[in-house]
Each structure stands twice: as structure tokens, then as C-alpha cells.
Amino acid sequence: VVVESTLQRTDKMGKSSKKQTVKFVLDCTAPVEDKVLDVASFEKYLHDRIKVDGKTGALASNNVVITREKNRLTVASPADLGFSKRQLKYLAKRYLKKQQLRDYLRVVASNKNTYELRYFSIAGGDDEEAEE
């Protein structure tokens, strides 16, 4: 009787448990349209530098996939892996620093699973004089 009940539980869990994936998006639309940033080199940088379980170069063995669609990079990983969105922000900022673009671009979370590269908004001197 005990064996039958455990078999039923695993059967129910097998049907209900679908492999969940978490997708994080890096939107590079603004700098790519101005020809400031190259998405292909950014994708290669992420592919070489993303760490999984403390090791770089372990993306394929852990089913982490980086895809490029025009101006957007999508990093998809299994939910149980615990891949962090924060690591993508860190790597994006490092890439911008390496390309000497960090003074002009910033990495902003536009929603829960998306980062966007935006230009710093520089206010003109007229606003300061108007306040005085």
C-alpha cells in the first residue's frame, strides 16, 4: 500500500512540474541606433564572462542560453539554477567601462526582468538659473 501511494505522488509531481526558465533582457536600443555600441561584441563579452556556480564558460552545461534579437540580448536560464539579474547589471557596467562608454550610458531596470541602456540626461544651464 505504501509503495502505491509514493508512485502516485511522483506521477502527479511529474505531470505538474514543468521546467521553469527565467529570462532576463538587456535592451540596447538607444546606443545601437546611434552606432555607439556593438551588440555582437557585447553578446560575446557576456558569453565569456557570465559565471554559473562560480565558474565561467559553464553556460552550455547548465542550459543557460544567450540570444540576440536586433538590439536586445536575452539570457535564459533554468529557474532552479538561481541565476541573478544583478550579475548581468554588473557585467553590463564593466563592458561599458571597458568600451569607455560608462560616462555616457547607464544601466537601468525598466521592469522586473529587463535592463535598459540609457543615456544620462544632462540638464542645460538654463534650469539652474531659472531656479535662482
Side-chain angles (χ1 to χ4, degrees):
V1 176
V2 176
V3 175
E4 290 177 6
S5 64
T6 56
L7 287 175
Q8 290 175 349
R9 286 182 192 156
T10 55
D11 189 35
K12 288 179 183 176
M13 290 180 72
K15 289 180 182 175
S16 65
S17 65
K18 195 176 183 183
K19 290 198 175 188
Q20 298 290 328
T21 59
V22 180
K23 291 185 179 181
F24 298 111
V25 178
L26 283 162
D27 189 4
C28 311
T29 305
V32 170
E33 287 178 351
D34 294 338
K35 296 181 182 171
V36 175
L37 185 80
D38 181 27
V39 181
S41 66
F42 188 28
E43 180 184 18
K44 183 178 181 336
Y45 182 85
L46 289 177
H47 193 277
D48 295 342
R49 302 273 193 318
I50 287 179
K51 286 187 177 183
V52 179
D53 294 331
K55 297 176 185 174
T56 58
L59 294 181
S61 62
N62 290 303
N63 297 327
V64 178
V65 180
I66 302 173
T67 56
R68 179 177 67 217
E69 303 164 7
K70 293 186 182 179
N71 303 332
R72 298 169 69 110
L73 291 173
T74 305
V75 180
S77 71
D80 58 341
L81 194 59
F83 187 79
S84 76
K85 180 180 166 192
R86 183 75 188 153
Q87 184 185 10
L88 282 180
K89 183 172 185 177
Y90 168 76
L91 289 172
K93 288 166 73 172
R94 271 189 61 189
Y95 178 78
L96 291 174
K97 184 71 172 175
K98 183 180 173 189
Q99 300 296 320
Q100 298 175 344
L101 296 171
R102 186 80 179 93
D103 296 336
Y104 311 106
L105 292 169
R106 62 189 185 138
V107 184
V108 180
S110 55
N111 67 36
K112 184 180 175 190
N113 288 335
T114 305
Y115 278 122
E116 186 178 345
L117 297 181
R118 291 186 187 166
Y119 289 103
F120 281 108
S121 57
I122 301 170
D126 300 334
D127 296 338
E128 293 175 10
E129 292 174 10
E131 290 175 2
E132 292 178 3

